[in-house]
Amino acid sequence: MTATTLSPAPSPIELLLKYDRPVPRYTSYPTAAAFSDAVGETQLRAQLGQASTDPLSLYVHVPFCRHACWYCGCNRVTTQLGSKVVAPYLDTLARELELVAAAMPQRRRLAQLHWGGGTPNYLNAEEQAQLWGLIAHHFDLESELEASIEVNPEFLSRDQALQLRELGFNRISFGIQDANPEVQRAVNRVVAEEQLRRSMQWLREAAFESVNVDLICGLPLQTPERFDTTLELVRELRPDRISLFSFAYLPEQLPMQRKIAAEDLPSQRQRITMLENANRQLTGHGYDAIGMDHYALSGDALAVAAREGRLHRNFQGYTTGGELELLGVGPTAISQFTHLTCQNERNLKTWAATVAAGRLPVERGLEVWDAEVLERRELIKEVMCHFQVELELSRFSQEWADLQALAADGLVQLGQSGGLGRVRVTTEGRWLIRTIAAVFDPQQRQRASGSRLV
């Protein structure tokens, strides 16, 4: 009998290096790259005009920042003018909400509310209360409303934390990114470690139901040793949720990133080591890995939703909001419905002028009615959220062949019966969940797009 020598399974580092190519993050399918100015106010007005008793998710974009973080790709306005820019912004937002409400045949309920940015706590206490009041004036807030807000801990105070909780926010998120002072200076985002500790103390004192922190892997001057120190701080703070993003260095698309020297960035192998260490440490300290870049304590609602198969993904990332329609207001905000995705004007002045003219400020978007595209959207969602999917082999033969190649590397496990193929993403495959989802995206087969995995 001849013994067969099996090749050792590729390590996570080897797999990430092998598959490291541009892939979308799949917060939507088709992705935002497919948006066109052929979709505008007419389509959104028609969508809002449909009668519905279902609750909504509302996203409010607050674009202002006191200073620019050089890694950031968000739509923002960097200014020190404070209320001088906030006052006209709130006036325009009030008018946009009036236009939205007028387009709907009935008053709608909100099950979810999220303020993002920019820096939502750029607004002072009075302005935050004014914005909350505008929303409550146009929508009915459910008793179990999930209300979340992003804040910059550099400018957070105890009074502000308590006031945000009193307003009605029950979930909050703040960015750590990296706690090392040298890394912070390299990206123009300096927040003292003690201020991060104080911020968490204040948020716990205010009794927020869930606190999330953001971390970024791959920033300039980061090393595995320095990032381990950040992870030690995170373990001490013990947030309910953690978003661990891989830095997408796109200086040609994002001019602010040109302030970052490419030679200061960690190598691919260093990035992968950092991600691998983070995953091992977090899952070893009570966190469940959620999707491709989120972690949550096992008792948190996001972890529970993942275990129960209720996890959903949209432009805000992973959410417990199921299939809620998402309405976005403010400059650059994105709205997502079953057949329509659209984005508001990204320029603050253009957004304000459009609203002042009495028009819903849609700049671009996409309508999808093709049944096959909608089916592929569902397949991608199943992979991204639930790590498993079922497909008809007769109709997805090319995809099945691609999956077999991934199975050979241990990224998925495959089974079939009765003409159906069953795909389950392995633990190792979760590192490459975007690559697996891209199997169902014909555009990726033709031309790679998106950000690199590491």
Side-chain angles (χ1 to χ4, degrees), residues 22 25 70-73 186-187 216-220 246-266 271 450-454:
R25 298 187 67 84
W70 294 342
Y71 57 80
C72 184
V187 295
I216 299 180
C217 175
L219 294 175
S246 186
F247 175 48
Y249 184 56
L250 304 168
E252 297 305 314
Q253 300 175 33
L254 303 171
M256 188 65 66
Q257 291 189 359
R258 295 172 194 166
K259 295 178 179 290
I260 295 173
E263 58 269 22
D264 287 341
L265 297 175
R271 277 188 184 227
S451 60
R452 299 182 73 90
L453 296 174
V454 294

Side-chain angles (χ1 to χ4, degrees), residues 36-41 43 340-342 362-367:
S36 161
D37 59 10
V39 170
E41 180 195 24
Q43 288 78 8
L340 172 69
T341 305
C342 58
V362 180
E363 177 183 349
R364 58 183 192 147
L366 178 71
E367 279 194 299

Side-chain angles (χ1 to χ4, degrees), residues 45-59:
R45 190 172 290 280
Q47 175 66 52
L48 295 176
Q50 297 179 21
S52 175
T53 58
D54 294 334
L56 283 170
S57 176
L58 180 69
Y59 171 74

Side-chain angles (χ1 to χ4, degrees), residues 3 29 47-49 61 90 105 120-121 132 189 229 244 262 270 352 380 404 406 416 432 440:
Y29 180 77
Q47 175 66 52
L48 295 176
H61 189 75
L90 289 176
N121 65 322
W132 185 280
R189 163 81 174 214
T229 302
L244 174 57
Q270 284 179 310
I380 289 172
Q404 288 176 324
L406 298 179
Q416 54 181 302
L432 291 154
F440 300 98

Side-chain angles (χ1 to χ4, degrees), residues 72-149:
C72 184
C74 298
N75 180 279
R76 69 202 178 285
V77 176
T78 304
T79 174
Q80 305 296 323
L81 293 177
S83 296
K84 290 184 178 179
V85 292
V86 172
Y89 159 79
L90 289 176
D91 288 343
T92 301
L93 201 63
R95 178 59 179 144
E96 183 180 2
L97 287 167
E98 288 175 2
L99 292 171
V100 166
M104 297 188 294
Q106 69 218 68
R107 189 177 173 91
R108 297 286 293 272
R109 293 175 292 127
L110 291 188
Q112 283 188 330
L113 171 65
H114 182 76
W115 294 9
T119 308
N121 65 322
Y122 186 96
L123 277 58
N124 62 35
E126 181 181 342
E127 292 159 348
Q128 291 165 357
Q130 182 183 347
L131 178 49
W132 185 280
L134 286 173
I135 295 165
H137 178 71
H138 292 289
F139 297 95
D140 293 326
L141 308 183
E142 291 195 339
S143 58
E144 299 298 317
L145 174 71
E146 182 181 292
S148 59
I149 183 171

